[in-house]
Amino acid sequence: MTIIDKKGKLFGLINIIDLLVLVIVVGLLAFGAKRMGSGSVSQSETKEALVTYEISEIRQLSVDQIKPGDPLYHYDKGTYIGTIENVDVEPYREKVDYNGRWVEAEVPKKFVATVTVKANIEETDQYYLVGGEQTRVGIQFRLKNKNFAAFGTVIDVEVGN
C-alpha cells in the first residue's frame, strides 16, 4: 500500500488537498479559541458618582436650557449618563493683549457652565465607565438632552462609597 495512490488520496482514504484544507481550518479554530479564552475578565461594580463637566464658550440661550433634574446623554451613542444635579454659570474669560500686556477679559455674551451630574459609574481596576464610555478627567464628550447639545470636558469624578 502506497502513501498516495493514483487518485491522489492519502492512504486511499482522503484527498491530499482536502486534508490540507481540513488541517488549516482546525488550526484556525484552535488559534481562535485560544485567543478568545486568554483574555482576563475584569470585575466591575456599579456605584453612584458625581461627574463634573465644564461646558465653555456657550451662549445665554444654551445656559438657560441646562436645568437641574434633567437627564443627560452622550451625543454620539445616545447612552444615558445621569441626572443633572447642579449648574454653576460664570462669564467666559479669555486672555487678550492690552497695551503689550496679557490680561484676562470677559467675552461678551459667552459663558462657562460647570455641570454636576449624578451618574451610575462602573469602576474597574483600570478605568471608570459612565454611560458606556471610559471616563477620565480631561476627556471631552459631546453631551445632549432634549433642550441642548454641547461639548463638555470632564473636570472631576467623585465616586461615592
Side-chain angles (χ1 to χ4, degrees):
M1 180 178 215
T2 61
I3 295 177
I4 299 176
D5 65 7
K6 293 178 186 178
K7 294 181 181 178
K9 291 187 176 187
L10 189 62
F11 299 114
L13 299 172
I14 187 168
N15 188 328
I16 191 75
I17 302 291
D18 293 341
L19 180 64
L20 287 174
V21 169
L22 185 63
V23 167
I24 290 171
V25 168
V26 169
L28 288 173
L29 287 174
F31 177 74
K34 183 179 178 186
R35 291 272 299 175
M36 295 295 276
S38 67
S40 63
V41 176
S42 62
Q43 296 292 332
S44 64
E45 55 184 71
T46 302
K47 295 182 179 180
E48 203 167 83
L50 293 176
V51 181
T52 306
Y53 297 92
E54 180 179 84
I55 304 172
S56 295
E57 292 189 67
I58 57 175
R59 297 174 295 149
Q60 184 66 48
L61 179 64
S62 297
V63 169
D64 294 340
Q65 301 304 315
I66 306 171
K67 299 174 186 158
D70 283 352
L72 191 64
Y73 301 91
H74 284 289
Y75 186 88
D76 298 322
K77 291 186 174 181
T79 55
Y80 178 72
I81 296 172
T83 304
I84 298 172
E85 289 291 307
N86 189 28
V87 180
D88 292 324
V89 180
E90 297 177 1
Y92 178 71
R93 297 179 170 274
E94 196 171 78
K95 291 191 181 209
V96 294
D97 184 7
Y98 179 72
N99 293 334
R101 291 184 19 210
W102 288 100
V103 295
E104 200 169 274
E106 288 184 14
V107 177
K109 300 181 183 179
K110 295 282 184 169
F111 299 92
V112 175
T114 304
V115 180
T116 304
V117 178
K118 187 181 207 179
N120 284 331
I121 190 169
E122 290 182 45
E123 181 178 10
T124 67
D125 54 346
Q126 298 174 356
Y127 55 83
Y128 295 119
L129 195 67
V130 179
E133 294 285 338
Q134 290 186 20
T135 302
R136 295 177 176 86
V137 170
I139 290 182
Q140 187 177 54
F141 293 111
R142 291 176 71 182
L143 307 171
K144 72 173 181 176
N145 68 14
K146 68 179 182 176
N147 299 319
F148 82 98
F151 283 99
T153 304
V154 178
I155 60 172
D156 188 30
V157 178
E158 189 178 316
V159 180
N161 292 333

